[in-house]
Amino acid sequence: MTQKFMTRPKVSAFGNDPLLVRSTFAQFPSGVAVLAVEAGGEKHALVASSFMVGVSLEPCLVAVAVQKSSETWEQIKNAASLGVSIFGKGQGHLTRKLAGKDRATRFEQVAIDVGEDGAVFIEDAALWLECSVHEVSEAGDHWMVLLEVTKLGVGENEPLIWHGAKFRELVNAQSIDVV
Ligand SMILES: Cc1cc2nc3c(=O)[nH]c(=O)nc-3n(C[C@H](O)[C@H](O)[C@H](O)COP(=O)(O)O)c2cc1C
């Protein structure tokens, strides 16, 4: 068998250079989630690429790392129910909008659906989870948040991929056989 991609692994000390860390981590592909809640007549959104599923199946847990400086986290951390939407194809502009500096206008012209307990979902997303906060622990300058999934659903839109600080779309839905 011919090995096609034979480049030598290379690692070096990084002297805690935050730019180097960011640009290296940016090469890790992920989906982009938004945690959203309506409480006291106001809507709150926290966009996160650190979101991950499959932390535990029983109980059903997902995770997200939230910057300790996040003002939105302070507003949503005690919510009974949190909506999580994973952005789909064509929704890159919505992630920028929902993560925008002006928190009061984040939801302007964003199509949403609000659940009975205040969980907010983005229409046409790739998938949706309704969650409650299970556990929060310290992780350096972030909170490591475990969410328990109480409801879930899959949309028809394909997920948006965040890679190299850019949004990418899946262009070929065929799976690749690994031999
Ligand atoms: C693509 C993208 C990914 C992000 N990922 C995270 C993340 O994983 N964790 C986080 O705390 N903030 C993340 N942010 C930043 C937050 O969405 C938000 O802008 C920040 O928390 C400041 O707003 P706030 O004070 O209202 O929370 C991300 C922003 C963007 C645009």
Side-chain angles (χ1 to χ4, degrees):
M1 190 185 77
T2 326
Q3 188 88 43
K4 281 191 181 159
F5 305 106
M6 269 288 283
T7 45
R8 275 175 66 92
K10 223 169 33 179
V11 289
S12 51
F14 59 95
N16 284 333
D17 175 351
L19 286 179
L20 179 59
V21 172
R22 275 170 194 264
S23 61
T24 304
F25 284 2
Q27 293 309 311
F28 181 77
S30 69
V32 185
V34 58
L35 280 58
V37 164
E38 186 173 73
E42 282 184 26
K43 285 187 268 301
H44 306 278
L46 204 165
V47 172
S49 57
S50 60
F51 184 80
M52 66 177 281
V53 296
V55 174
S56 162
L57 295 180
E58 286 184 56
C60 185
L61 300 177
V62 297
V64 61
V66 178
Q67 296 167 24
K68 283 185 177 170
S69 59
S70 169
E71 290 179 29
T72 298
W73 176 244
E74 293 305 311
Q75 303 295 322
I76 68 174
K77 66 181 183 186
N78 295 319
S81 198
L82 280 157
V84 177
S85 305
I86 307 299
F87 290 103
K89 216 167 167 175
Q91 294 190 314
H93 64 292
L94 294 184
T95 73
R96 302 275 190 215
K97 185 141 201 315
L98 289 162
K101 280 212 167 80
D102 185 359
R103 298 201 290 138
T105 61
R106 281 179 179 172
F107 283 90
E108 273 178 11
Q109 289 165 350
V110 179
I112 56 162
D113 191 62
V114 184
E116 282 169 21
D117 296 327
V120 175
F121 300 101
I122 308 303
E123 284 188 8
D124 206 26
L127 62 118
W128 303 276
L129 307 173
E130 190 167 325
C131 301
S132 59
V133 176
H134 178 79
E135 194 182 299
V136 181
S137 54
E138 264 193 295
D141 54 9
H142 281 57
W143 300 113
M144 193 64 219
V145 179
L146 291 180
L147 300 171
E148 178 159 4
V149 179
T150 51
K151 293 178 188 167
L152 43 74
V154 180
E156 287 177 12
N157 200 354
E158 288 188 334
L160 196 63
I161 309 299
W162 178 243
H163 176 249
K166 289 192 171 75
F167 295 107
R168 298 178 191 273
E169 293 180 353
L170 296 173
V171 287
N172 184 351
Q174 282 177 357
S175 58
I176 297 160
D177 289 331
V178 178
V179 285

